[in-house]
């Protein structure tokens, strides 16, 4: 498979999940840091602010304490308005005055004790107003406030024991406003607010003006419930954002995976069988083969072809054909092991990847598969051909890493194509197949130039009368003397020419050259005998073949009786009527027509009955058999008789030994073409044979 496909699939499989995961992780970390930062910054400044306010209050108390001492007023009475415990230490750390319980436990006087539920509720003191009775010289209320903020506001003002406490945070407060504020005479309302406050008591110590004694006031770190709630809301909303991002991300990832899976499924599904397609086969197969743990497994790549598929579709319908393909696919699938793969590759071809231990058993398995799929429907028996390419174990897993399964499948296809006929069969790939293909390509590349450059040479193989040893004819046989490829025998090129259609050019070439040679020899005074030329089956399909041959011969001015046409037996399977017509035409032009290779392969007795042929060439195979108990002789003898009854001459081909020559002579065989008399030879040598007329004595001994 093209690596682009592989890349596409890999991309599909991987998607960008990891990108999302990275983004998500970064987001989570960033938001956590942000929240932590926010909480710490906001929290510490919040606490600091509170602490400062508390310190200011204690400082106020210390100032008032000193002031009242100075003014000769009982400090306890003055400080009572604060409602706070306090301790005054002299330079020697002796308690000189105190109010409430001394709860200090640690040095530094910052003993933080747990909130006392029974403790009197308090609110943040942000302003303190002097009592006009106590301090007539400071009759106007003065605002003491936290920090320098002039916008300290009040919502509640209460009066207690001749002093005013002002608290608050909402309305603007200024000296003039104080009269408008309703004064509350009790602390009762503090009780109401108690549950809305969180209080942490501790002690704050401040040095008094002598620099020696110390005033220690009890303080509370007081948080308003609303502040805490606000903080919690902010934290919660940040986490909510993170959480929702997380959910969105997860949904995105899951739907992404689902979508990619779906796309991948579509990418891998064959529309005809609804099973695996070729892309899937190559991808999954490559994956399996390349796995390290499979390095010891021998794989078989199989191309299985439903041979008569097109015909089936023509006879029934394309739909019916596709239905059968689906059945075949499911049948094969049912016979595979878990880790094996089957796919509908192309029109009538299936690709299989099998795992097996031995070659013998894979053949059995494929035979079983073929047996099953050929009976996939009740009313038909289908023909299947299989080509197998083996992927050998690769202990180091080196070769397989770069193995292209598509290439191997092609090789399996080539192996299958090497099965010539259309019967059920199994072919294993072997190296010669690749060589054959390469050779066929080389031949095809050079054939036209070879023809133009007259690299093809006509060899002549004489035919002798076994009764008299007299030269009676010859067969023209092609040879290729290629400057690049060397000497090429016909067996190495004729089948290729027959496949690629170039054979008709060859036939023309041979007829033209034989006619030309014959004419030249005739003019030179040789006693010419008929020379037969092979005409291929492919050529015989042309309806004007007889005219073509006549024209070719006439161009050279050669008498027609000096050229004979040989037809191979297989040619007789084509359109019989057309064939008879061509033969009759050739005969009417004065050309003799012979049936080549009679007795090889298919029975051609029927053809003999219909075709008005002049010569019967008995196949060389008749003279190859050993230990046949003389049966071949009976057949040959009867064939010669049959030919004579039909008024045909006989030529025995491939005769190499004297006994056969003598036997054929005794049976009145007209001619022998074989190594016993002569091998195919160049024209110059053949000229000598023509001159001698009889077989040279030295060769018969
Ligand atoms: P064929 O037409 O049956 O030619 C006879 C083949 O048998 C020749 O092989 C010849 O050399 C060989 N032969 C003859 N006597 C003996 C013998 O006693 N022993 C052995 N072992 N072999 C013998 P060649 O020349 O290699 O040709 C092979 C085939 O190639 C021919 O078989 C023919 O089918 C094809 N061919 C050759 N030349 C042409 C041609 O010009 N045109 C076409 N269409 N086919 C040709
Ligand atoms: Ca022949
Ligand atoms: Ca022959």
């Amino acid at each position: 498979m093209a690596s682009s496909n592989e890349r596409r699939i890999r991309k599909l499989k991987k998607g960008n999940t990891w990108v999302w995961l990275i983004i998500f992780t970064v987001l989570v970390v960033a938001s956590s840091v942000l929240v932590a930062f926010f909480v710490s910054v906001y929290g510490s400044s919040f606490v600091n602010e509170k602490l400062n306010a508390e310190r200011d209050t204690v400082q106020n108390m210390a100032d008032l304490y000193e002031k009242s001492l100075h003014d000769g007023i009982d400090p306890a009475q003055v400080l009572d308005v604060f409602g706070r415990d306090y301790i005054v230490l002299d330079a020697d750390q002796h308690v000189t005055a105190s109010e409430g319980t001394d709860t200090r436990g640690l040095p530094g006087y910052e003993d933080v004790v747990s909130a006392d539920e029974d403790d009197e509720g308090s609110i943040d003191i942000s302003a303190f107003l002097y009592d006009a009775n106590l301090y007539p010289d400071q009759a106007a209320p003065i605002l003491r406030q936290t920090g320098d903020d002039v916008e300290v506001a009040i919502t509640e003002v209460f009066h207690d024991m001749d002093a005013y406490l002002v608290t608050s945070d909402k309305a603007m407060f200024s000296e003039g406003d104080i009269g408008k504020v309703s004064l509350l005479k009790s602390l009762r309302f503090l009780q109401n607010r108690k549950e809305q406050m969180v209080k942490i008591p501790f002690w704050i110590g401040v040095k008094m003006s002598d620099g020696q004694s110390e005033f220690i006031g009890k303080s509370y770190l007081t948080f308003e419930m609303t502040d805490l709630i606000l903080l919690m809301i902010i934290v919660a909303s940040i986490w909510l954002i993170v959480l929702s991002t997380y959910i969105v991300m997860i949904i995105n990832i899951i739907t992404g995976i689902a979508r990619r899976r779906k796309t991948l499924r579509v990418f891998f599904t064959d529309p005809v069988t609804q099973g695996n397609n070729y892309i899937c086969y190559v991808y999954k197969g490559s994956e399996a083969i390349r796995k390290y743990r499979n390095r010891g497994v021998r794989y078989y790549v199989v191309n299985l072809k439903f041979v008569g598929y097109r015909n089936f579709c023509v006879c029934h319908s394309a739909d019916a054909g596709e239905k059968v393909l689906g059945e075949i696919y499911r049948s094969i699938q049912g016979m595979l092991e878990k880790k094996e793969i089957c796919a509908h590759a192309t029109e009538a071809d299936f690709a299989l990847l099998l795992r097996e231990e031995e070659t013998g058993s894979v053949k059995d398995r494929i035979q079983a598969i073929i047996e099953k799929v050929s009976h996939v429907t009740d009313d038909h028996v289908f023909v299947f051909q299989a080509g197998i390419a083996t992927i050998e174990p690769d202990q180091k897993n080196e070769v397989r890493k770069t193995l292209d399964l598509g290439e191997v499948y092609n090789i399996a296809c080539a192996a299958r194509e090497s099965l010539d006929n259309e019967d059920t069969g199994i072919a294993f790939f072997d190296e010669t197949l690749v060589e054959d293909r390469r050779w066929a390509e080389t031949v095809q590349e050079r054939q036209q130039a070879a023809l133009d450059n007259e690299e093809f040479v006509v060899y002549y193989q004489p035919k002798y009368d076994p009764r008299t040893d007299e030269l009676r004819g010859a067969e023209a046989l092609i040879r290729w003397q290629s400057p690049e490829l060397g000497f090429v025998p016909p067996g190495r090129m004729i089948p290729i020419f027959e496949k690629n259609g170039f054979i008709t050019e060859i036939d023309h070439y041979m007829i033209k050259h034989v006619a030309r040679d014959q004419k030249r020899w005739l003019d030179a005074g040789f006693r010419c005998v008929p020379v037969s030329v092979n005409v291929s089956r492919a050529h015989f399909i042309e309806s004007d073949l007889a005219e073509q041959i006549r024209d070719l011969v006439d161009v050279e001015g050669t008498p027609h009786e000096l050229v004979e046409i040989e037809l191979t037996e297989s040619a007789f399977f084509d359109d019989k009527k057309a064939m008879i017509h061509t033969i009759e035409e050739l005969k009417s032009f004065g050309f003799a027509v012979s049936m080549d290779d009679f007795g090889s392969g298919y029975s051609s007795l029927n053809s003999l009955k219909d075709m008005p042929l002049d010569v019967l060439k008995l196949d060389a195979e008749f003279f190859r058999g050993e230990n046949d108990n003389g049966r071949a002789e009976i057949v040959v003898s009867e064939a010669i008789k049959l030919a004579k009854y039909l008024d045909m001459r006989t030529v025995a081909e491939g005769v190499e030994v004297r006994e056969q020559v003598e036997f054929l002579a005794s049976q009145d065989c007209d001619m022998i073409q074989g190594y016993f008399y002569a091998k195919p030879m160049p024209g110059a040598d053949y000229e000598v044979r023509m001159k001698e007329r009889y077989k040279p004595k030295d060769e018969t001994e």
Side-chain angles (χ1 to χ4, degrees), residues 475 534 566 596-597 617 619 653:
E475 179 177 3
N534 293 284
E566 281 192 23
D596 202 356
D597 304 334
K617 293 189 80 178
D619 192 72
E653 273 192 293

Side-chain angles (χ1 to χ4, degrees), residues 365-571:
R365 283 192 64 193
I366 290 171
Q367 229 137 25
I369 290 173
I370 289 179
E371 176 59 28
K372 192 167 175 207
V373 292
S374 53
H375 294 95
V376 79
T377 60
D378 295 335
D379 40 1
H380 289 92
V381 178
F382 299 122
V383 174
F384 282 87
Q385 289 184 338
I388 307 168
T390 311
I391 298 174
E392 292 297 336
D394 177 16
Q395 294 305 344
K396 288 185 183 156
N397 207 40
E398 274 170 358
V399 185
R400 289 190 177 184
K401 259 189 268 174
T402 52
L403 184 125
D404 187 337
L405 185 56
E407 289 285 328
V408 184
Y409 179 71
N410 266 343
I411 290 171
C413 292
R416 201 255 309 142
E417 279 164 15
S418 71
L419 294 167
D420 286 331
N421 50 36
E422 302 240 301
D423 296 337
T424 290
I426 299 172
F428 275 89
F429 168 80
D430 65 280
E431 270 308 313
T432 57
L433 223 95
V434 181
E435 272 167 36
D436 288 354
R437 289 219 152 184
R438 269 193 213 125
W439 172 252
E441 264 168 40
T442 310
V443 168
Q444 181 151 357
E445 269 166 28
R446 294 166 201 240
Q447 61 195 26
Q448 190 57 49
L451 195 82
D452 298 342
N453 302 336
E454 305 238 320
E455 289 170 21
F456 296 112
V457 182
V458 185
Y459 269 48
Y460 292 89
Q461 185 176 27
K463 298 169 190 165
Y464 285 94
D465 187 330
R467 297 157 298 196
T468 59
D469 286 349
E470 191 184 0
L471 180 75
R472 294 280 297 277
E475 179 177 3
L477 294 159
I478 194 168
R479 300 289 181 266
W480 182 4
Q481 246 125 27
S482 162
E484 297 103 352
L485 306 172
F487 179 84
V488 185
R492 297 267 286 151
M493 56 181 174
I494 296 294
I496 298 169
F497 294 153
E498 273 172 349
K499 262 193 188 155
N500 69 24
F502 193 65
I503 193 71
T504 53
E505 305 282 330
I506 293 291
D507 286 352
H508 280 172
Y509 181 94
M510 290 297 282
I511 292 164
K512 193 174 79 184
H513 279 78
V514 165
R516 191 173 292 169
D517 282 352
Q518 287 283 64
K519 173 75 169 115
R520 183 164 51 80
W521 289 326
L522 200 63
D523 293 348
F526 286 99
R527 274 195 68 228
C528 290
V529 285
V531 170
S532 60
V533 185
N534 293 284
V535 172
S536 81
R537 171 189 179 174
H539 210 158
F540 235 80
I541 295 165
E542 290 174 20
S543 59
D544 61 343
L545 179 72
E547 285 84 1
Q548 285 179 32
I549 292 173
R550 181 199 60 195
D551 295 347
L552 282 167
V553 174
D554 286 351
V555 166
E556 306 301 331
T558 317
H560 294 181
E561 63 272 17
L562 290 183
V563 177
E564 189 181 306
I565 301 301
E566 281 192 23
L567 283 172
T568 53
E569 208 181 357
S570 60

